[in-house]
Amino acid sequence: MIELRSPREIDQMRPAGRFVAEVLTAVRDAAAVGVNLLELDAVAHRMIRDRGAESCYIDYHPSFGAMPFGKVICTSVNDAVLHGLPHDYALRDGDLLSIDFAASVDGWVSDSALSFVVGTSASPQRAAADAKLIETTEVALEAGIAAAVAGNRIGDISAAIAKVARGAGYDINTDFGGHGVGRTMHGDPHVPNDGRPGRGFPLKPGLVIAIEPWFLETTDEIFTDPDGWTLRSADGSRGAHSEHTIAVTDDGPLVLTARN
């Protein structure tokens, strides 16, 4: 069921958006060569506890997950792109890290993700490839948000994302994408990263969704890691992921998880 939120409810969702943005910023700032992924999870866990928020991940157990997630943030490194389960791994110079975080504050959820390189890349070629991949997800996210205006349809968001991806030479996987956000982390409608303009659910004021472009360098095929959660590229190429929770309003799209 797709629910539309009143202006008052959207205002009530703002603290969750700010908190998710703060956690992602703190985790990004803590990520450095030699820092363990479990330490990054601990940073997010501590902030959840201090804020009195609730994790959307720790007990999350959808059909595609082997078990409850058990951690509070996703940390996807290099050829991992989504649902990276934090584990005993110390970040290395040049790792491409994607972090994804969702939490509930006062009963409202926000969800956001970003990608960046830890330290410095091993070569100018690697640095350029990583920068292009990350920037493409960010530009695609901006294009998707710009299309999230009342009167458009979900397909307009999807087509805007796909145009950026294909223009940069990347293939698109539609197994996972954006989604409705509200009292729970995942709801209707599904927001794929490819689609046809003018198709799909009509965008109306009060619709709150997460838009999340994610691309792989040289493939659109993924597989699930033996940990039962982490999704990796089929050919070992790197992935990147950007995401914001936004509200469709009469005044245009409102980014609830904007970072300073």
Side-chain angles (χ1 to χ4, degrees), residues 124-146:
Q125 293 81 9
R126 181 71 266 160
D130 288 343
K132 177 187 175 185
L133 182 62
I134 294 168
E135 182 181 17
T136 300
T137 67
E138 294 171 345
V139 173
L141 177 58
E142 292 171 1
I145 293 171

Side-chain angles (χ1 to χ4, degrees), residues 59-186:
D59 295 322
Y60 186 52
H61 191 188
S63 59
F64 57 81
M67 74 288 288
F69 191 73
K71 304 296 180 184
V72 300
I73 196 164
C74 294
T75 53
S76 303
V77 181
N78 296 332
D79 65 321
V81 65
L82 295 175
H83 309 162
L85 185 64
H87 60 284
D88 186 11
Y89 174 84
L91 290 165
R92 301 171 184 173
D93 202 26
D95 278 344
L96 198 169
L97 175 63
S98 300
I99 51 177
D100 190 356
F101 179 69
S104 174
V105 175
D106 300 326
W108 294 106
V109 171
S110 270
D111 190 3
S112 186
L114 74 160
S115 297
F116 55 95
V117 172
V118 178
T120 56
S121 295
S123 68
Q125 293 81 9
R126 181 71 266 160
D130 288 343
K132 177 187 175 185
L133 182 62
I134 294 168
E135 182 181 17
T136 300
T137 67
E138 294 171 345
V139 173
L141 177 58
E142 292 171 1
I145 293 171
V149 296
N152 276 354
R153 291 177 177 266
I154 291 293
D156 294 298
I157 298 174
S158 303
I161 292 170
K163 182 178 179 180
V164 173
R166 292 204 171 93
Y170 299 119
D171 294 328
I172 302 166
N173 179 297
T174 55
D175 291 346
F176 296 91
H179 48 88
V181 179
R183 293 292 188 180
T184 60
M185 177 172 58
H186 287 149

